Amino acid sequence: MNDYLGSIFEKYIHAKKIFKNKEVLRHSYTPKELPHRKKQVEDLAHILVPVLRGETPSNVFVYGKTGTGKTVTIKFVTEELKKISQKYNVPVEVIYINCEIVDTQYRVLANIVNHFKAESGVEIPLVGWPTDEVYAKLKEVIDARERFVIIVLDEIDKLVKKSGDDILYSLTRINTELSRAKVSIIGISNDLKFKEYLDARVLSSLSEEEIVFPPYDANQLRDILMQRAGDAFNEGVLDDAVVPLCAALAAREHGDARRALDLLRVAGEIAEREGADKVTERHVWLAQEKIEQDTMEEVIKTLPLHSKVLLYAVVLLDENGDLPANTGDVYSVYKMICDYIDLDPLTQRRVSDLINELDMLGIINAKVVSKGRYGRTKEIRLNVVPQKVKKLFSGEDQLRPLLAVDLSRQRRLI
């Protein structure tokens, strides 16, 4: 058996190596240059340069759609600021927090305090302290000496939608409570309507400066990919059509550079797994298929409970040959499932809203059709493979009982 396993690994070790440095294609990688983001780099540098003169910079609100270079630009500029601050003997600390992961007021404050753990000897546990005590400790550790602290709150909209904007109110006014240190906030949002969720008092402080990141077009995405490809792949392994195709496909996705990089990386991984000598257009199309599948699975996994139950109602209707179905039919099955798993059902109006949300996510298709003198109705179809939904739900304790629901049998019992 060991010889057999050894031979498997030997086969992959000696296969043609496609990548020189795959990490260059990761979202977390910060390149030495940022094509087509010169204006945003200069705008951000102009806002932060007061630090080097010992002055407090404005807070900044950065927004744009996913994959428009917001995070990588801010990391690039703040890293450059830290380097040059040493020349001017100005202490600068940059704290980066991803609010999709660190999504409560307590955890944001704790992360900031724990950034200074080596210096202060203070570490806040993930839970357990009163929030006002954590905030008091945060002020204490930041103000231990003269310095500038730049706090980057990435995906700030996720934090505000879940926990409210009290944290922003505190952080944007913290300088009035500090005597030695100065704090600046950089908020990053993918939601262009994010500011609508903010209280006016927070909005006036956070949005002192705004920088907008427009989507990339296909030519710009091609330039970005060409820059990364030179460092990521071994010479001669990329077919000439690969980068333009990745750029064109990602440009259709609202100019998403992350999508373009993912396509290029996954295409290379597929080629390497096949033992191919080159990455070709075929590998890009296979990568597109895989990414779409993985993305849809992630979307389904993160749906709220009632949306998952509603989706399962559509799955059962599909398996029973009852699609397309109207909203009333779907609601009846949804309600039946809720009874089966002892869950209080939502109103039909609320479920109609959830149907629209699933439609916008591309999980189902809810098309309004005219029935002549009988008015208009929605025809609902499923856009995902039923077995994939069942497989995803089988891994969740709360949803596993759904798999035992037999629609035909339940209808006979009613």
Side-chain angles (χ1 to χ4, degrees):
M1 185 65 177
N2 286 339
D3 289 343
Y4 171 67
L5 287 173
S7 65
I8 290 176
F9 288 116
E10 286 287 338
K11 179 176 73 174
Y12 290 117
I13 287 169
H14 297 299
K16 182 170 177 63
K17 197 164 164 50
I18 294 289
F19 292 103
K20 182 167 38 175
N21 181 6
K22 195 193 297 186
E23 296 308 305
V24 172
L25 300 175
R26 301 281 184 194
H27 304 164
S28 55
Y29 178 79
T30 305
K32 295 182 178 67
E33 293 178 20
L34 296 175
H36 306 292
R37 284 297 175 250
K38 183 179 179 182
K39 181 184 184 303
Q40 287 76 18
V41 167
E42 290 185 350
D43 287 348
L44 192 56
H46 180 73
I47 293 166
L48 295 177
V49 75
V51 169
L52 303 177
R53 296 193 291 262
E55 302 164 5
T56 309
S58 301
N59 295 318
V60 191
F61 178 44
V62 173
Y63 60 97
K65 292 183 177 179
T66 302
T68 51
K70 302 181 300 298
T71 301
V72 72
T73 299
I74 286 164
K75 285 184 174 180
F76 175 84
V77 173
T78 52
E79 283 174 18
E80 289 297 311
L81 178 66
K82 283 179 72 175
K83 287 177 193 171
I84 197 167
S85 68
Q86 295 172 6
K87 175 182 173 182
Y88 289 89
N89 200 29
V90 178
V92 174
E93 294 281 349
V94 178
I95 304 171
Y96 174 85
I97 297 174
N98 185 334
C99 297
E100 186 173 26
I101 300 165
V102 183
D103 59 358
T104 65
Q105 179 178 4
Y106 180 97
R107 292 184 68 193
V108 169
L109 295 174
N111 267 262
I112 297 169
V113 175
N114 293 342
H115 175 85
F116 300 99
K117 179 174 62 177
E119 171 192 314
S120 67
V122 176
E123 183 173 8
I124 306 291
L126 291 177
V127 292
W129 285 29
T131 302
D132 57 352
E133 194 175 326
V134 180
Y135 182 66
K137 189 59 68 177
L138 178 147
K139 289 188 291 183
E140 180 187 315
V141 299
I142 284 180
D143 213 28
R145 59 191 178 89
E146 287 187 8
R147 59 177 150 212
F148 288 90
V149 178
I150 297 170
I151 301 171
V152 180
L153 299 173
D154 202 349
E155 305 216 41
I156 192 174
D157 46 296
K158 303 279 174 67
L159 172 67
V160 171
K161 286 174 188 175
K162 180 171 180 178
S163 303
D165 60 9
D166 287 348
I167 177 71
L168 296 183
Y169 184 71
S170 300
L171 291 178
T172 54
R173 283 164 170 73
I174 195 172
N175 287 323
T176 61
E177 303 177 69
L178 302 176
S179 57
R180 292 192 277 189
K182 296 294 180 187
V183 171
S184 177
I185 308 298
I186 300 177
I188 310 174
S189 174
N190 296 329
D191 186 349
L192 304 185
K193 296 181 179 178
F194 162 68
K195 292 190 292 183
E196 294 175 9
Y197 300 101
L198 297 178
D199 187 280
R201 60 186 185 158
V202 176
L203 192 58
S204 63
S205 296
L206 179 63
S207 297
E208 289 177 0
E209 299 276 0
E210 290 186 357
I211 300 177
V212 180
F213 281 67
Y216 295 107
D217 62 31
N219 290 330
Q220 291 172 332
L221 288 171
R222 191 177 64 230
D223 292 343
I224 292 166
L225 292 183
M226 289 301 292
Q227 180 212 47
R228 301 278 189 108
D231 294 326
F233 292 95
N234 283 314
E235 196 172 339
V237 300
L238 277 186
D239 192 87
D240 289 344
V242 165
V243 165
L245 179 57
C246 289
L249 291 172
R252 290 195 321 204
E253 300 283 334
H254 313 296
D256 188 339
R258 292 188 173 201
R259 180 62 169 239
L261 290 166
D262 284 343
L263 277 169
L264 189 55
R265 175 179 53 79
V266 175
E269 289 171 348
I270 292 169
E272 197 165 64
R273 205 171 298 132
E274 286 182 357
D277 291 333
K278 277 199 163 199
V279 185
T280 66
E281 288 181 81
R282 182 179 70 83
H283 296 123
V284 176
W285 289 112
L286 289 171
Q288 168 89 336
E289 191 178 312
K290 183 179 187 303
I291 289 168
E292 283 181 354
Q293 180 182 317
D294 291 349
T295 302
M296 186 59 73
E297 286 183 6
E298 193 57 38
V299 169
I300 292 171
K301 279 183 195 173
T302 55
L303 287 173
L305 177 60
H306 280 277
S307 294
K308 287 177 176 174
V309 173
L310 176 61
L311 172 58
Y312 200 74
V314 180
V315 166
L316 289 179
L317 286 164
D318 183 72
E319 291 190 328
N320 210 51
D322 292 334
L323 291 187
N326 61 38
T327 305
D329 294 333
V330 173
Y331 183 72
S332 296
V333 177
Y334 157 81
K335 200 172 174 189
M336 182 193 72
I337 295 172
C338 285
D339 291 340
Y340 184 86
I341 63 172
D342 198 24
L343 179 69
D344 291 334
L346 301 173
T347 64
Q348 184 161 347
R349 182 168 183 167
R350 180 66 188 118
V351 166
S352 184
D353 291 339
L354 295 184
I355 286 171
N356 290 336
E357 288 172 16
L358 292 177
D359 179 43
M360 283 190 291
L361 291 168
I363 298 170
I364 65 171
N365 180 258
K367 183 181 178 184
V368 178
V369 295
S370 173
K371 294 291 184 180
R373 62 194 181 95
Y374 297 104
R376 292 152 67 86
T377 187
K378 271 183 189 163
E379 284 193 347
I380 297 163
R381 291 178 168 83
L382 190 64
N383 282 348
V384 292
V385 179
Q387 286 308 118
K388 286 193 182 299
V389 176
K390 288 187 164 186
K391 186 177 178 183
L392 289 172
F393 287 1
S394 68
E396 297 187 39
D397 293 340
Q398 197 172 9
L399 297 171
R400 204 172 291 123
L402 294 178
L403 305 181
V405 177
D406 182 326
L407 184 56
S408 300
R409 183 171 181 276
Q410 292 298 121
R411 282 172 168 169
R412 288 197 299 273
L413 293 174
I414 294 173

